[in-house]
Amino acid sequence: MLTNISITNFAIVESLELELHKGMTVISGETGAGKSIMVDALSLCLGARTDSAVVRHGENKAEINATFEINNNTAALKWLRDRDLESEQSCSLRRIITKEGKSKAYINNRPCTLSDLKSVGAFLIDIHGQHEHQSLLKKSAQRTQLDAFGELNPLAQKVKKQFHEWKQIKTELNARLNRSADQDARIQLLTYQVQELEQFALKEDELKTLEEEQNFLATMADAQQKAYQTSLMLSEDENNNIQSLLNHALLTASSIQTRTPQLQSACDLMNEALIQIEEACSSLSQYQDSLEQNPSRLSEVEQRLSDIYNTARKHKTSPEMLFMLQESITADLNDILGSNENLDTLKEKEELAYQQLTDSATELTECRIQAKDRLSANVEEQIHGLGMPYAQFQIHCHPLDEVTVNGFEEIEYMIASNPGQPAQPLRKVASGGELSRISLGIQVVTASTSTIPTLIFDEVDVGISGGIAEVVGRMLRSVGSKGQVFCVTHLAQVAAQGHQHLLVKKEVEEQQTSSAVTTLKSKDRTVEIARLLGGLELTQQTLAHAKEMLGNVHLQ
């Protein structure tokens, strides 16, 4: 609900601030006073485009602020919450236009785009009349209105959810099918590589073991020679070996006559050394016996290593990574083969999802046909009482070639204003006055299901008078009693039905024209109703008539 609007330096308004209430608020005033200025200003807060011409002459900028109470508006709250713009159950829209033509927009005091204003504004207010912000002319809004009237929103949401689920599966299936040709070639390549590597039969750590063995076999002759030389030095050289020299040293030391602990220790150590040399000679002998050159085994090892290096180069990897590459290629092949095995399962899943979607969409179509017949009949009855007695209002469900996120059909409102004319889309044939009255008829019928809390009807009474004008007023009051309605009018019959009445006056002071808005109380309202009835010359008769009209409204 719109609770406050302030306008500064906009057109002929210097400064205006209004607190607004629920129910029906009528706006009246003399021709040229600026009755539609508030509507125009609100249009800017809803994202309408403009230029510097709207800035009051002599001022630098125009500014419009509109505040809405949205504690019961779940759609608006969700939109704001999703964008981190929520602010304590209210929504403030602000628009600034400079004399240079620049524009700034804000939602809850945070900068935004005009597109954002339009998006959130669609949940807050709807303007009916000769303005661009008319959701009634949009097929999407007509579909939404029909679904709300028929209480079909849960089913429509189910169709939307199932459509997205089916589309996701369908996209995955198509991607799998499109990849099939490339996958066949890759399967052939991976299969060949896996077979080749399996036949090669490389074992984990085999490379390291072979390299160690190859090094051992290649250095065996050198090891035998050095082991033999060591044995000679220790004991086997007849003329000069460590064992003989150590024996001779021990004998010499033992022949010393003077015995001391130190000498005895030296002799003991030499005895121990002889024992160690004998053990070393025995170990060397065993080592020499184990060294048996094997040229054929060395050749085998070197050939296997060569094969490993060549295979690694072929697969563009290092010899150390060849075993891991085989495991990786095998895993890739199994994944692809496994995904192909799941392709049939995915096809079945897609078929089931599509069947569920079409079943729900078919049910939605049947429900829409029932709802559109009821809605069109009710709207037609309303607009017959609004000065269009021969109008035929229809709702067409145009079948589509395939199911969409919104079902199997496109919804479009159709109207034939006069006898003998074929029904045409509402957006093509309705004049401004007709559109306003048709809008009013629809809103009266759908008021209980409408999700837009604030409605503005700008000059809905164009071309009507008398009893029809009173019908229009009652309709607007009926809609307003369920929410909030603003009506710009020049008819007393409509103005008298309002819960509140705003009077727009044009004032000239110091050669400057400005527009002011006043909330009318009882006596002043009677005078304004009388003016609407009889013009500028007020008589006791017109005042009495005005008072009677207002009294009758209160008795209704």
Side-chain angles (χ1 to χ4, degrees), residues 11 30 47 100 128-129 146 230 261 325 358 393 403 409 412 426 428-430 460 467 494 520:
E30 297 179 3
E100 293 81 16
H128 297 278
L146 176 62
T230 303
L325 177 66
T358 54
F393 181 79
V403 67
E409 59 280 326
E412 186 165 30
L426 185 62
K428 289 186 177 181
V429 299
V460 295
V494 173
L520 297 181

PDB file of all heavy atoms in Angstrom, residues 11 30 47 100 128-129 146 230 261 325 358 393 403 409 412 426 428-430 460 467 494 520:
ATOM      1  N   ALA A  11       7.418  19.390 -12.676  1.00  0.00           N
ATOM      2  CA  ALA A  11       6.436  20.107 -13.496  1.00  0.00           C
ATOM      3  C   ALA A  11       6.045  21.412 -12.795  1.00  0.00           C
ATOM      4  O   ALA A  11       6.914  22.237 -12.520  1.00  0.00           O
ATOM      5  CB  ALA A  11       5.234  19.210 -13.778  1.00  0.00           C
ATOM      6  N   GLU A  30      -9.746  21.467 -11.294  1.00  0.00           N
ATOM      7  CA  GLU A  30     -10.091  22.100 -12.564  1.00  0.00           C
ATOM      8  C   GLU A  30      -9.152  21.634 -13.669  1.00  0.00           C
ATOM      9  O   GLU A  30      -8.046  21.165 -13.418  1.00  0.00           O
ATOM     10  CB  GLU A  30     -10.020  23.618 -12.415  1.00  0.00           C
ATOM     11  CG  GLU A  30     -11.005  24.203 -11.421  1.00  0.00           C
ATOM     12  CD  GLU A  30     -10.864  25.712 -11.296  1.00  0.00           C
ATOM     13  OE1 GLU A  30     -10.039  26.279 -12.040  1.00  0.00           O
ATOM     14  OE2 GLU A  30     -11.565  26.306 -10.468  1.00  0.00           O
ATOM     15  N   GLY A  47       9.891   3.522 -12.856  1.00  0.00           N
ATOM     16  CA  GLY A  47      10.881   3.262 -13.891  1.00  0.00           C
ATOM     17  C   GLY A  47      10.583   3.843 -15.249  1.00  0.00           C
ATOM     18  O   GLY A  47      11.283   3.531 -16.221  1.00  0.00           O
ATOM     19  N   GLU A 100      19.883  18.793 -16.525  1.00  0.00           N
ATOM     20  CA  GLU A 100      20.703  18.339 -17.662  1.00  0.00           C
ATOM     21  C   GLU A 100      20.166  17.057 -18.271  1.00  0.00           C
ATOM     22  O   GLU A 100      20.693  16.575 -19.270  1.00  0.00           O
ATOM     23  CB  GLU A 100      22.156  18.107 -17.210  1.00  0.00           C
ATOM     24  CG  GLU A 100      22.916  19.353 -16.807  1.00  0.00           C
ATOM     25  CD  GLU A 100      22.605  19.790 -15.385  1.00  0.00           C
ATOM     26  OE1 GLU A 100      22.044  18.959 -14.632  1.00  0.00           O
ATOM     27  OE2 GLU A 100      22.909  20.946 -15.020  1.00  0.00           O
ATOM     28  N   HIS A 128      -3.756   2.254 -14.439  1.00  0.00           N
ATOM     29  CA  HIS A 128      -4.642   2.007 -15.571  1.00  0.00           C
ATOM     30  C   HIS A 128      -5.074   3.346 -16.165  1.00  0.00           C
ATOM     31  O   HIS A 128      -5.516   4.244 -15.466  1.00  0.00           O
ATOM     32  CB  HIS A 128      -5.875   1.215 -15.129  1.00  0.00           C
ATOM     33  CG  HIS A 128      -5.540  -0.139 -14.599  1.00  0.00           C
ATOM     34  ND1 HIS A 128      -5.320  -1.221 -15.406  1.00  0.00           N
ATOM     35  CD2 HIS A 128      -5.343  -0.562 -13.339  1.00  0.00           C
ATOM     36  CE1 HIS A 128      -5.027  -2.271 -14.662  1.00  0.00           C
ATOM     37  NE2 HIS A 128      -5.036  -1.895 -13.397  1.00  0.00           N
ATOM     38  N   GLY A 129      -4.922   3.449 -17.441  1.00  0.00           N
ATOM     39  CA  GLY A 129      -5.251   4.684 -18.131  1.00  0.00           C
ATOM     40  C   GLY A 129      -4.301   4.860 -19.295  1.00  0.00           C
ATOM     41  O   GLY A 129      -3.707   3.900 -19.796  1.00  0.00           O
ATOM     42  N   LEU A 146      -5.387 -14.597 -14.829  1.00  0.00           N
ATOM     43  CA  LEU A 146      -6.317 -15.721 -15.001  1.00  0.00           C
ATOM     44  C   LEU A 146      -6.008 -16.836 -14.011  1.00  0.00           C
ATOM     45  O   LEU A 146      -6.929 -17.400 -13.385  1.00  0.00           O
ATOM     46  CB  LEU A 146      -6.240 -16.247 -16.435  1.00  0.00           C
ATOM     47  CG  LEU A 146      -7.083 -17.494 -16.732  1.00  0.00           C
ATOM     48  CD1 LEU A 146      -8.559 -17.211 -16.536  1.00  0.00           C
ATOM     49  CD2 LEU A 146      -6.812 -18.004 -18.151  1.00  0.00           C
ATOM     50  N   THR A 230      91.509 -56.743  -2.555  1.00  0.00           N
ATOM     51  CA  THR A 230      91.362 -56.605  -1.105  1.00  0.00           C
ATOM     52  C   THR A 230      91.811 -57.885  -0.394  1.00  0.00           C
ATOM     53  O   THR A 230      92.497 -57.835   0.648  1.00  0.00           O
ATOM     54  CB  THR A 230      89.906 -56.278  -0.752  1.00  0.00           C
ATOM     55  OG1 THR A 230      89.508 -55.092  -1.442  1.00  0.00           O
ATOM     56  CG2 THR A 230      89.740 -56.074   0.749  1.00  0.00           C
ATOM     57  N   PRO A 261     101.195 -53.645  31.689  1.00  0.00           N
ATOM     58  CA  PRO A 261      99.770 -53.682  31.241  1.00  0.00           C
ATOM     59  C   PRO A 261      99.587 -53.070  29.860  1.00  0.00           C
ATOM     60  O   PRO A 261      98.762 -53.539  29.077  1.00  0.00           O
ATOM     61  CB  PRO A 261      99.052 -52.861  32.306  1.00  0.00           C
ATOM     62  CG  PRO A 261      99.907 -53.011  33.528  1.00  0.00           C
ATOM     63  CD  PRO A 261     101.314 -53.059  33.054  1.00  0.00           C
ATOM     64  N   LEU A 325      49.907 -43.721 -15.527  1.00  0.00           N
ATOM     65  CA  LEU A 325      49.172 -43.393 -16.745  1.00  0.00           C
ATOM     66  C   LEU A 325      48.256 -44.535 -17.154  1.00  0.00           C
ATOM     67  O   LEU A 325      47.109 -44.307 -17.564  1.00  0.00           O
ATOM     68  CB  LEU A 325      50.154 -43.074 -17.873  1.00  0.00           C
ATOM     69  CG  LEU A 325      49.520 -42.789 -19.238  1.00  0.00           C
ATOM     70  CD1 LEU A 325      48.705 -41.504 -19.188  1.00  0.00           C
ATOM     71  CD2 LEU A 325      50.587 -42.699 -20.333  1.00  0.00           C
ATOM     72  N   THR A 358       3.820 -32.985 -19.134  1.00  0.00           N
ATOM     73  CA  THR A 358       2.667 -32.861 -20.043  1.00  0.00           C
ATOM     74  C   THR A 358       1.356 -33.204 -19.335  1.00  0.00           C
ATOM     75  O   THR A 358       0.329 -32.606 -19.634  1.00  0.00           O
ATOM     76  CB  THR A 358       2.858 -33.753 -21.281  1.00  0.00           C
ATOM     77  OG1 THR A 358       3.127 -35.106 -20.870  1.00  0.00           O
ATOM     78  CG2 THR A 358       4.027 -33.252 -22.125  1.00  0.00           C
ATOM     79  N   PHE A 393     -16.307  -9.659 -24.295  1.00  0.00           N
ATOM     80  CA  PHE A 393     -14.971  -9.884 -23.741  1.00  0.00           C
ATOM     81  C   PHE A 393     -14.681 -11.384 -23.757  1.00  0.00           C
ATOM     82  O   PHE A 393     -15.473 -12.185 -23.262  1.00  0.00           O
ATOM     83  CB  PHE A 393     -14.892  -9.349 -22.305  1.00  0.00           C
ATOM     84  CG  PHE A 393     -13.542  -9.516 -21.675  1.00  0.00           C
ATOM     85  CD1 PHE A 393     -12.500  -8.651 -21.978  1.00  0.00           C
ATOM     86  CD2 PHE A 393     -13.299 -10.548 -20.774  1.00  0.00           C
ATOM     87  CE1 PHE A 393     -11.248  -8.793 -21.395  1.00  0.00           C
ATOM     88  CE2 PHE A 393     -12.057 -10.703 -20.189  1.00  0.00           C
ATOM     89  CZ  PHE A 393     -11.026  -9.826 -20.501  1.00  0.00           C
ATOM     90  N   VAL A 403       5.143 -27.763 -25.326  1.00  0.00           N
ATOM     91  CA  VAL A 403       4.950 -27.296 -23.965  1.00  0.00           C
ATOM     92  C   VAL A 403       6.037 -26.290 -23.604  1.00  0.00           C
ATOM     93  O   VAL A 403       7.183 -26.394 -24.045  1.00  0.00           O
ATOM     94  CB  VAL A 403       4.966 -28.491 -22.980  1.00  0.00           C
ATOM     95  CG1 VAL A 403       6.333 -29.139 -22.913  1.00  0.00           C
ATOM     96  CG2 VAL A 403       4.486 -28.059 -21.597  1.00  0.00           C
ATOM     97  N   GLU A 409      -0.361 -23.374 -23.647  1.00  0.00           N
ATOM     98  CA  GLU A 409      -1.104 -22.336 -24.335  1.00  0.00           C
ATOM     99  C   GLU A 409      -0.589 -20.960 -23.947  1.00  0.00           C
ATOM    100  O   GLU A 409       0.091 -20.776 -22.947  1.00  0.00           O
ATOM    101  CB  GLU A 409      -2.604 -22.417 -24.030  1.00  0.00           C
ATOM    102  CG  GLU A 409      -2.964 -22.289 -22.566  1.00  0.00           C
ATOM    103  CD  GLU A 409      -2.760 -23.586 -21.820  1.00  0.00           C
ATOM    104  OE1 GLU A 409      -2.962 -24.660 -22.410  1.00  0.00           O
ATOM    105  OE2 GLU A 409      -2.363 -23.529 -20.642  1.00  0.00           O
ATOM    106  N   GLU A 412      -4.550 -14.726 -23.929  1.00  0.00           N
ATOM    107  CA  GLU A 412      -4.679 -13.365 -24.458  1.00  0.00           C
ATOM    108  C   GLU A 412      -6.116 -12.895 -24.296  1.00  0.00           C
ATOM    109  O   GLU A 412      -7.070 -13.594 -24.629  1.00  0.00           O
ATOM    110  CB  GLU A 412      -4.269 -13.310 -25.928  1.00  0.00           C
ATOM    111  CG  GLU A 412      -4.243 -11.887 -26.479  1.00  0.00           C
ATOM    112  CD  GLU A 412      -3.499 -11.783 -27.795  1.00  0.00           C
ATOM    113  OE1 GLU A 412      -3.491 -12.773 -28.553  1.00  0.00           O
ATOM    114  OE2 GLU A 412      -2.923 -10.716 -28.059  1.00  0.00           O
ATOM    115  N   LEU A 426      -6.868  -7.112 -26.899  1.00  0.00           N
ATOM    116  CA  LEU A 426      -7.195  -5.911 -26.135  1.00  0.00           C
ATOM    117  C   LEU A 426      -6.190  -4.791 -26.402  1.00  0.00           C
ATOM    118  O   LEU A 426      -6.557  -3.624 -26.513  1.00  0.00           O
ATOM    119  CB  LEU A 426      -7.221  -6.264 -24.643  1.00  0.00           C
ATOM    120  CG  LEU A 426      -7.653  -5.179 -23.663  1.00  0.00           C
ATOM    121  CD1 LEU A 426      -9.085  -4.749 -23.950  1.00  0.00           C
ATOM    122  CD2 LEU A 426      -7.522  -5.677 -22.233  1.00  0.00           C
ATOM    123  N   LYS A 428      -4.769  -3.970 -29.017  1.00  0.00           N
ATOM    124  CA  LYS A 428      -4.835  -3.389 -30.353  1.00  0.00           C
ATOM    125  C   LYS A 428      -6.052  -2.502 -30.579  1.00  0.00           C
ATOM    126  O   LYS A 428      -5.999  -1.559 -31.366  1.00  0.00           O
ATOM    127  CB  LYS A 428      -4.837  -4.495 -31.408  1.00  0.00           C
ATOM    128  CG  LYS A 428      -3.504  -5.207 -31.555  1.00  0.00           C
ATOM    129  CD  LYS A 428      -3.553  -6.185 -32.720  1.00  0.00           C
ATOM    130  CE  LYS A 428      -2.190  -6.866 -32.938  1.00  0.00           C
ATOM    131  NZ  LYS A 428      -2.227  -7.796 -34.081  1.00  0.00           N
ATOM    132  N   VAL A 429      -7.161  -2.832 -29.940  1.00  0.00           N
ATOM    133  CA  VAL A 429      -8.407  -2.161 -30.333  1.00  0.00           C
ATOM    134  C   VAL A 429      -8.990  -1.232 -29.282  1.00  0.00           C
ATOM    135  O   VAL A 429      -9.784  -0.365 -29.602  1.00  0.00           O
ATOM    136  CB  VAL A 429      -9.476  -3.204 -30.718  1.00  0.00           C
ATOM    137  CG1 VAL A 429      -9.005  -4.027 -31.892  1.00  0.00           C
ATOM    138  CG2 VAL A 429      -9.801  -4.101 -29.541  1.00  0.00           C
ATOM    139  N   ALA A 430      -8.607  -1.397 -28.031  1.00  0.00           N
ATOM    140  CA  ALA A 430      -9.257  -0.596 -26.998  1.00  0.00           C
ATOM    141  C   ALA A 430      -8.704   0.821 -26.980  1.00  0.00           C
ATOM    142  O   ALA A 430      -7.497   1.032 -26.976  1.00  0.00           O
ATOM    143  CB  ALA A 430      -9.061  -1.244 -25.626  1.00  0.00           C
ATOM    144  N   VAL A 460     -10.807   7.176 -15.771  1.00  0.00           N
ATOM    145  CA  VAL A 460     -11.589   6.015 -16.210  1.00  0.00           C
ATOM    146  C   VAL A 460     -13.002   6.405 -16.618  1.00  0.00           C
ATOM    147  O   VAL A 460     -13.715   5.615 -17.223  1.00  0.00           O
ATOM    148  CB  VAL A 460     -11.660   4.945 -15.095  1.00  0.00           C
ATOM    149  CG1 VAL A 460     -10.303   4.372 -14.801  1.00  0.00           C
ATOM    150  CG2 VAL A 460     -12.313   5.506 -13.844  1.00  0.00           C
ATOM    151  N   GLY A 467     -25.973   7.709 -14.779  1.00  0.00           N
ATOM    152  CA  GLY A 467     -26.046   6.475 -14.012  1.00  0.00           C
ATOM    153  C   GLY A 467     -24.817   5.605 -14.162  1.00  0.00           C
ATOM    154  O   GLY A 467     -24.387   4.943 -13.203  1.00  0.00           O
ATOM    155  N   VAL A 494     -18.522   9.793  -9.428  1.00  0.00           N
ATOM    156  CA  VAL A 494     -17.360   8.974  -9.066  1.00  0.00           C
ATOM    157  C   VAL A 494     -16.696   9.551  -7.819  1.00  0.00           C
ATOM    158  O   VAL A 494     -16.380   8.830  -6.870  1.00  0.00           O
ATOM    159  CB  VAL A 494     -16.355   8.905 -10.238  1.00  0.00           C
ATOM    160  CG1 VAL A 494     -15.076   8.194  -9.805  1.00  0.00           C
ATOM    161  CG2 VAL A 494     -16.977   8.215 -11.439  1.00  0.00           C
ATOM    162  N   LEU A 520      -9.582  17.132   1.364  1.00  0.00           N
ATOM    163  CA  LEU A 520     -10.857  17.798   1.653  1.00  0.00           C
ATOM    164  C   LEU A 520     -11.574  17.147   2.831  1.00  0.00           C
ATOM    165  O   LEU A 520     -11.642  15.926   2.943  1.00  0.00           O
ATOM    166  CB  LEU A 520     -11.761  17.753   0.421  1.00  0.00           C
ATOM    167  CG  LEU A 520     -11.243  18.490  -0.820  1.00  0.00           C
ATOM    168  CD1 LEU A 520     -12.256  18.379  -1.944  1.00  0.00           C
ATOM    169  CD2 LEU A 520     -10.946  19.961  -0.502  1.00  0.00           C
TER     170      LEU A 520
END
